[in-house]
Amino acid sequence: LMIVLEGTVRINSFSGEQIAEGGPGCIIGEISLLDDKPRSATVISVGKSTIAVIPSESLWKLMKADAELARIMLLNLGQVLCMRLRSANLQLDTVVGKDFAARR
């Protein structure tokens, strides 16, 4: 799991298309942390950035030792994922809506 402390990062799909941009407080790697699968995007620093890296093994060990911390972490990660899913749905609606309107 990584957290942007300073600077800006750009999140790109594997095809190179920009998906999002994030600044301080942006969380990176939450999907892989939760499903233990390879990353689903590429993150590139836009200029100078400072990133905190938290190895998944260390984070899971900490959460196993502290149930309240685990609850808070998982709730926050769930909220981040929900926010990103809603944003992706809006982007998809925009693309599909334009495509649908063009076919009419």
Side-chain angles (χ1 to χ4, degrees):
L1 187 74
M2 295 178 273
I3 304 168
V4 177
L5 300 177
E6 296 176 352
T8 304
V9 296
R10 184 173 295 130
I11 297 101
N12 293 340
S13 68
F14 288 128
S15 66
E17 184 175 340
Q18 183 174 334
I19 298 169
E21 201 167 87
C26 177
I27 296 171
I28 304 164
E30 74 286 349
I31 295 173
S32 291
L33 173 74
L34 294 174
D35 71 4
D36 199 30
K37 302 272 191 274
R39 61 192 172 89
S40 60
T42 298
V43 179
I44 301 166
S45 177
V46 179
K48 184 178 179 180
S49 297
T50 303
I51 311 291
V53 178
I54 307 167
S56 60
E57 300 82 20
S58 300
L59 188 54
W60 283 115
K61 184 177 178 181
L62 185 61
M63 288 194 293
K64 284 179 185 176
D66 186 336
E68 181 61 11
L69 173 70
R71 186 189 72 76
I72 292 168
M73 285 288 303
L74 293 172
L75 177 63
N76 286 331
L77 289 174
Q79 289 174 342
V80 167
L81 289 170
C82 288
M83 178 184 65
R84 291 186 181 167
L85 181 58
R86 287 180 188 278
S87 176
N89 285 344
L90 289 173
Q91 289 175 346
L92 185 59
D93 280 348
T94 301
V95 171
V96 170
K98 286 180 185 176
D99 187 45
F100 180 75
R103 286 189 267 149
R104 292 181 93 193

